[in-house]
Structures are given as structure tokens and as C-alpha cells.
Amino acid sequence: MSDTVNIPVTGDRDNVKATITALDPVVDIVTDWRIFPQRNGTTVSAYLEARPQNGGAQ
């Protein structure tokens, strides 16, 4: 079993980037993420793989 979770983020580009920035201090993003445009042309998606920082220690 993997110690990571997949986090899809979809919305306006600025909101997606802000969400990723907000998650960065909380989780360890273990893969490079990219933003992909959606077919509707107005929103984007990003897919992150992350795990708790410090191996999940509280």
C-alpha cells in the first residue's frame, strides 16, 4: 500500500494554483504537478500525489 494520496484539483487557473500553494506547507507533494486545460475551455485541472509531512507524525 502506498503512503501517498492522489489529489485532483479542478477550477479556475488562479484558484487551482492558490489551492496548491495552500496545500504545500501541509503536505509533501511528491510528484511534479502540471495544470491541464479542461475541454470546456474555462477551467483547468491539476493532479497531485502527496503524503503528510514528516511521514505523518503529529
Side-chain angles (χ1 to χ4, degrees), residues 29-36 47-49:
I29 298 173
V30 296
T31 57
D32 291 333
W33 55 272
R34 290 183 24 199
I35 291 179
F36 300 94
Y47 300 91
L48 315 173
E49 188 174 342

Side-chain angles (χ1 to χ4, degrees), residues 1-50:
M1 184 163 81
S2 175
D3 65 342
T4 62
V5 294
N6 295 318
I7 304 171
V9 184
T10 302
D12 294 329
R13 178 178 291 271
D14 291 340
N15 292 340
V16 168
K17 290 173 89 174
T19 299
I20 294 168
T21 299
L23 286 172
D24 193 41
V26 179
V27 296
D28 179 20
I29 298 173
V30 296
T31 57
D32 291 333
W33 55 272
R34 290 183 24 199
I35 291 179
F36 300 94
Q38 293 294 302
R39 291 183 189 176
N40 64 16
T42 61
T43 60
V44 297
S45 289
Y47 300 91
L48 315 173
E49 188 174 342

